[in-house]
Amino acid sequence: MAAAKGADEFTVEIHIPQFVTNALDRVPFLTTYLKWWIELWRENPVHLLVETALIVLILYILLKRPSKKKSKLETLPPAMVQDLLNDFKPEPLCPELNPAAKQVLDDIVVLEEKAAKYTKVRGVDGKVLNCVTLDFLGLGQRKEITDAANAALDKYGCGSCGPRGFYGSIDVHVYLEQDLAKFFGTEEAIVYSDASSTASSAIPAFSNRADLLVVDDGCNESIMTGVNLSRSRVLFFKHNDMEDLARLLEKVADEDKRLKRSPQRRFIITEGLYRNFGDIAPVDEIVRLKHKYKWRLFLDESHALGVFGANGRGVHEHFGVEAKDIELLIASLSTTLSSVGGFCVGTREVVEHQRLSGAGYCFSASSPPFVSTAASAAIKVLDEEGRSKLMPTIKRNAQFFNAKVYELGAGLISPTSNPASALVHLRLAPEYRVCKDRADYTEASRCKEDKALREITRRMRDKGFLLTVANYIVPSDDAKVKVGSSEMPPLPPPSIRAVITALHTEDELTAVAQTLCDVTKQVVQELTLGPDAASAKSPSSSGVRKR
């Protein structure tokens, strides 16, 4: 193939068969490439060899199948693998329930009918008087509201299919916000599709790790979740203790002077009517402290809406405080307004900021249109009949029931809530409590007292009255739960919770109070003397004080 023509001349002749040439001519550009390749071979064969080797290497890397790597088990001896499999214990999908959680599950109540004044409970013969619904004014039973919801359901369908900021806003959402702003006398309102996410979204929307929150240590878990999500510095003041609140605010003011610190965003966070206690906050005193120390106020009026105040706006109206003096005023739509969701009212700047920063507003689907229509209809009824008819009725019923239980239950059980509160918390008499102070309860002692209260409510259901025990997430004794920068305050004390509505009559409330006292007497006798001794002894010879 090669012949020498001179000392410094080297040529290569390559003979390609004719049939190969004919086949190559049929492929476009291949003949041209072959001629280029032969020419390059004649001029610089070394370059061609290097280039060809690189092309082959690249093709090899691209086309080579990766070899399967051996797992760690395959590299171990079979006997060791078997030992590891025998010792393997998979983690449970859910952690084991603590005794408190088991008691809650064992005492779960299932309604088999609508939560009306009288309803049906699974496992109980006949209907029971509903004393647990938060429909304080009974608006959920009003025909005009259900008719409005049905009409909206027929017109708009069930869901809105998107967040408010992304094709999820419907005209009835805007109308409801306008109705709420008008009712509270504020510039604007914003509606959330979930009541719990209202507080847990509004608080972190305005407060971050550089800010300071002073929080009542009896606030509900929705507020605690929002405080925790804000990652702010948190200081707790004793539940409903204005002297302790003033002490904390003065302490922060002294720190500012000593450290020459410029004030950051600061909020006092509290409830109008506390869900976990049933008492009310002195909002007028809190507003005075707020102005004195230049703080902002976050107030939750969920359980005071429609019950307190001349027009039913809440505890702040009850104390003569205007809504404009409260920077963040929130409430639930699922209590008095018999709907679903929550809202916040305030200035235009406060509301518009939440439309971009409120997580529950931005990232949750908006509430179904018929839900907003029902809430607007409830506001209309509250405007027309609240002051003249509904609110006087529920105030009278709440005061009557609290007084009746206090009278009949002396030495047994008594309300610890505000005498005018429709949300009533009932506790055993001090001699029957496991611990005197809420901070003294351990997991075991709380479960012990909680068990007695659940036995009382179970027997009440059997006698035709539906009450409930206030449920809380009880951490184990060695668990250190934090809220923001502070340790979680003690849980509220165990209590029975009863809700009084405008639909109840005095005869019904008297029957509830009398039966509650009778059942409580039986339970505490059994706890004190044992069931056999309790049945053999008369009430006068038991450890219960005479009424």
Side-chain angles (χ1 to χ4, degrees):
M1 293 186 53
K5 294 188 178 181
D8 55 353
E9 183 179 357
F10 181 80
T11 61
V12 177
E13 293 183 5
I14 300 176
H15 299 283
I16 302 176
Q18 186 64 34
F19 74 90
V20 176
T21 304
N22 294 337
L24 294 176
D25 288 339
R26 296 172 186 166
V27 182
F29 306 109
L30 192 56
T31 304
T32 303
Y33 176 77
L34 185 60
K35 290 180 180 179
W36 170 82
W37 189 87
I38 294 172
E39 185 67 26
L40 186 60
W41 172 261
R42 290 173 178 171
E43 294 178 357
N44 195 345
V46 177
H47 176 77
L48 181 62
L49 289 173
V50 173
E51 186 177 272
T52 303
L54 291 175
I55 292 174
V56 172
L57 179 62
I58 292 172
L59 292 175
Y60 172 78
I61 294 173
L62 293 176
L63 299 178
K64 180 187 177 184
R65 291 185 177 180
S67 59
K68 183 180 178 181
K69 295 183 179 180
K70 290 186 177 182
S71 65
K72 292 183 178 180
L73 288 177
E74 292 175 333
T75 61
L76 295 176
M80 187 176 293
V81 172
Q82 189 60 44
D83 290 339
L84 292 174
L85 292 176
N86 294 336
D87 295 338
F88 174 69
K89 293 181 180 180
E91 286 290 331
L93 293 178
C94 298
E96 185 178 357
L97 297 178
N98 59 20
K102 290 179 180 178
Q103 285 188 178
V104 172
L105 288 180
D106 292 341
D107 192 45
I108 193 168
V109 177
V110 179
L111 298 185
E112 295 182 336
E113 292 182 358
K114 179 182 176 182
K117 178 181 176 181
Y118 283 91
T119 187
K120 184 73 174 65
V121 174
R122 181 179 298 174
V124 178
D125 296 333
K127 293 192 174 184
V128 297
L129 181 65
N130 190 348
C131 297
V132 297
T133 178
L134 294 174
D135 184 15
F136 295 113
L137 300 181
L139 299 184
Q141 316 302 319
R142 299 286 292 256
K143 187 176 183 300
E144 58 264 48
I145 294 178
T146 56
D147 289 344
N150 288 331
L153 186 61
D154 293 337
K155 178 179 179 180
Y156 298 99
C158 184
S160 55
C161 303
R164 288 289 304 277
F166 188 61
Y167 68 80
S169 284
I170 298 177
D171 54 357
V172 291
H173 295 139
V174 179
Y175 297 153
L176 174 58
E177 290 175 342
Q178 293 172 352
D179 292 339
L180 289 168
K182 181 180 178 181
F183 179 76
F184 282 93
T186 58
E187 293 181 1
E188 287 193 14
I190 180 172
V191 172
Y192 290 83
S193 57
D194 179 71
S196 296
S197 67
T198 305
S200 58
S201 298
I203 294 174
F206 291 93
S207 183
N208 56 38
R209 64 174 71 249
D211 302 321
L212 177 59
L213 305 177
V214 169
V215 186
D216 187 296
D217 69 1
C219 285
N220 63 66
E221 63 272 14
S222 298
I223 290 178
M224 293 298 184
T225 300
V227 170
N228 193 32
L229 291 175
S230 71
R231 299 174 294 176
S232 303
R233 180 190 174 199
V234 182
L235 300 175
F236 289 104
F237 65 94
K238 296 177 183 177
H239 172 60
N240 223 12
D241 188 335
M242 294 302 102
E243 292 183 0
D244 195 43
L245 173 60
R247 179 189 63 80
L248 275 180
L249 299 181
E250 185 66 32
K251 177 183 176 182
V252 173
D254 292 340
E255 287 182 0
D256 290 341
K257 295 178 181 178
R258 187 177 73 256
L259 301 175
K260 297 181 180 180
R261 180 173 56 193
S262 58
Q264 70 272 64
R265 284 174 297 193
R266 298 171 174 182
F267 285 91
I268 301 170
I269 299 180
T270 186
E271 295 179 73
L273 189 150
Y274 294 93
R275 182 169 71 189
N276 295 336
F277 294 86
D279 50 357
I280 62 174
V283 180
D284 54 343
E285 177 66 15
I286 295 175
V287 169
R288 186 188 68 80
L289 293 172
K290 172 186 91 88
H291 287 310
K292 177 180 178 180
Y293 292 99
K294 298 179 175 58
W295 285 59
R296 296 181 175 93
L297 177 60
F298 177 97
L299 183 66
D300 185 351
E301 290 279 28
S302 295
H303 299 86
L305 180 62
V307 180
F308 283 89
N311 299 288
R313 293 170 185 159
V315 174
H316 71 280
E317 187 182 40
H318 173 75
F319 284 104
V321 176
E322 296 185 10
K324 66 180 181 179
D325 290 323
I326 304 168
E327 282 72 20
L328 281 169
L329 176 61
I330 74 162
S332 172
L333 294 169
S334 57
T335 54
T336 299
L337 300 182
S338 63
S339 184
V340 176
F343 64 90
C344 178
V345 296
T347 62
R348 181 170 290 105
E349 291 79 6
V350 166
V351 169
E352 292 303 320
H353 178 74
Q354 292 179 73
R355 297 195 192 278
L356 296 176
S357 302
Y361 181 90
C362 296
F363 302 112
S364 296
S366 57
S367 56
F370 73 90
V371 169
S372 298
T373 304
S376 290
I379 293 174
K380 182 179 179 181
V381 174
L382 187 57
D383 275 333
E384 294 174 352
E385 302 181 26
R387 185 164 188 157
S388 60
K389 180 181 178 181
L390 297 175
M391 289 176 53
T393 302
I394 192 169
K395 288 179 180 178
R396 182 173 61 251
N397 285 350
Q399 291 172 347
F400 177 83
F401 180 77
N402 279 280
K404 184 62 68 173
V405 175
Y406 187 83
E407 172 193 348
L408 298 176
L412 288 169
I413 193 168
S414 61
T416 59
S417 45
N418 185 278
S421 172
L423 182 66
V424 184
H425 280 263
L426 303 157
R427 293 197 66 195
L428 294 174
E431 54 264 40
Y432 300 114
R433 297 175 189 172
V434 179
C435 298
K436 294 182 179 180
D437 189 78
R438 63 186 256 205
D440 298 332
Y441 282 94
T442 62
E443 183 182 5
S445 60
R446 177 176 287 275
C447 288
K448 182 178 180 181
E449 186 170 328
D450 189 74
K451 183 178 180 180
L453 297 178
R454 293 187 186 280
E455 179 62 21
I456 293 173
T457 57
R458 186 191 65 78
R459 297 187 187 186
M460 288 290 292
R461 288 197 298 271
D462 293 338
K463 293 181 179 295
F465 304 101
L466 180 60
L467 285 81
T468 186
V469 175
N471 294 324
Y472 309 103
I473 299 176
V474 181
S476 56
D477 293 335
D478 56 347
K480 299 296 182 183
V481 183
K482 287 224 172 222
V483 175
S485 60
S486 300
E487 189 172 327
M488 183 76 175
L491 290 175
S495 63
I496 294 174
R497 191 172 65 195
V499 180
I500 309 305
T501 71
L503 300 179
H504 292 141
T505 65
E506 289 190 358
D507 290 341
E508 291 169 339
L509 296 176
T510 300
V512 175
Q514 183 63 63
T515 307
L516 176 65
C517 295
D518 294 340
V519 169
T520 304
K521 180 184 295 185
Q522 297 171 4
V523 173
V524 297
Q525 285 178 347
E526 293 174 7
L527 292 177
T528 306
L529 305 173
D532 296 335
S535 60
K537 298 236 179 186
S538 63
S540 60
S541 61
S542 69
V544 181
R545 294 184 304 190
K546 294 181 180 180
R547 293 192 297 272

